[in-house]
Amino acid sequence: MVRLTALGWKADAALRRAGGSARVLAALSESIYLTVGDEIVWLGGAGAPLHPRAMLTAEPLPFSAEVLELDPGRVRPWRPTAPRALGAETLAGGVEALLGAVGAIGRPEGFGALLAGATPPFPLDGAVARARALAAACAADDPSAAAEAATELLGLGPGLTPSGDDYVGAAFFARMHVARAGAGDAGTWARAAAAVRERARERTHPISAALLADMLAGHGHAALHDLMETLGAGDAPAAALDAARHLVRIGRSSGWDMLAGFVAGVRLRPFRLNAGARLR
């Protein structure tokens, strides 16, 4: 029996439906992906980032197990708080200020290079036009064009959650919240997100498709929600920088890919590159 110290609302609901039983799907170096009923969730250490699908424990992770029994006890599941009044213009202005301080966040990885005006590394360098097309569609409030640009990025890059999936998911995460705040047609963006979700089933693997589906619906890591809230509410720049630093610590490049996608979803113009610029 693995006793949990924290878990997300989606993992909690799945566990309670399944009576606490889970089957190991994939064991990584610092986490274990599981299937609980028809849901994909994961188990990590006590200090790992929170997410609707995350479950955390202070106990050693049982990497050799095939079936686990998990006890959420009386742990209150994490759910992002309802954002304060989200101002689309305030959010866009906050993103511009954040871009001006990107060097204070850290060294960009993956699509994060776009935030510094540089070309991302192979194989992402061949997808810069597609990444910019998605940013341009978001800036133009064009859900159909965004879905088409997003489709070409699905499954792009190595890792458990490819960079293309993280970038696309965070861009739609941002657009969904902006549209729900009144700066766009939320229904039209939801239909575009549904189209991307269906295409992802054939273009990326099930674990990444599940996390992508969450972001397409406006659900993501706690740090992504924190970033949106601090920028949208016009909080002090230090708060946004802190949230961004927490976000970019996720995975090898996933956090940076999500940050770049979030900026693409909020910004009023696509990324501009310095000709030939690459991060070293």
Side-chain angles (χ1 to χ4, degrees):
M1 180 69 71
V2 179
R3 292 174 176 78
L4 304 179
T5 57
L7 77 167
W9 62 269
K10 187 166 284 192
D12 178 69
L15 274 182
R16 296 190 186 281
R17 289 195 301 268
S21 182
R23 183 169 293 277
V24 173
L25 179 62
L28 307 182
S29 60
E30 296 182 356
S31 62
I32 303 173
Y33 277 80
L34 310 163
T35 53
V36 178
D38 59 355
E39 290 284 6
I40 293 175
V41 300
W42 70 86
L43 179 67
L50 278 169
H51 182 279
R53 296 180 185 271
M55 302 180 297
L56 310 183
T57 181
E59 301 173 10
L61 297 184
F63 289 108
S64 60
E66 294 183 2
V67 177
L68 295 178
E69 295 297 323
L70 300 139
D71 179 17
R74 296 185 178 181
V75 175
R76 184 176 180 178
W78 172 80
R79 184 185 293 270
T81 57
R84 291 167 284 174
L86 182 64
E89 292 185 4
T90 303
L91 186 60
V95 159
E96 293 301 325
L98 188 68
L99 283 174
V102 69
I105 299 172
R107 184 186 186 280
E109 301 286 348
F111 275 124
L114 296 172
L115 302 175
T119 301
F122 178 84
L124 308 184
D125 55 348
V128 168
R130 284 171 274 171
R132 295 185 75 247
L134 176 53
C138 290
D141 192 27
D142 188 338
S144 179
E148 291 305 313
T151 300
E152 298 303 314
L153 291 165
L154 297 176
L156 176 65
L160 187 69
T161 57
S163 290
D165 296 1
D166 287 326
Y167 179 86
V168 166
F172 271 84
F173 170 93
R175 289 309 309 177
M176 289 301 297
H177 284 282
V178 167
R180 288 169 184 168
D185 186 329
T188 306
W189 277 101
R191 288 190 289 275
V196 175
R197 184 174 63 248
E198 288 301 312
R199 295 165 189 172
R201 294 180 179 180
E202 298 180 353
R203 291 175 175 262
T204 193
H205 59 79
I207 290 177
S208 189
L211 272 69
L212 173 60
D214 290 338
M215 286 196 284
L216 290 169
H219 309 302
H221 284 86
L224 194 56
H225 285 273
D226 291 344
L227 180 64
M228 178 187 66
E229 181 172 351
T230 56
L231 290 175
D235 288 348
L241 279 173
D242 187 56
R245 290 185 186 114
H246 279 89
L247 179 61
V248 301
R249 292 175 192 152
I250 297 172
R252 187 186 65 81
S253 72
S254 286
W256 278 106
D257 294 322
M258 285 188 278
L259 180 58
F262 178 86
V263 170
V266 169
R267 207 174 184 213
L268 301 180
R269 55 183 181 274
F271 296 110
R272 295 181 64 182
L273 302 182
N274 298 321
R278 290 181 180 269
L279 296 175
R280 299 183 182 279

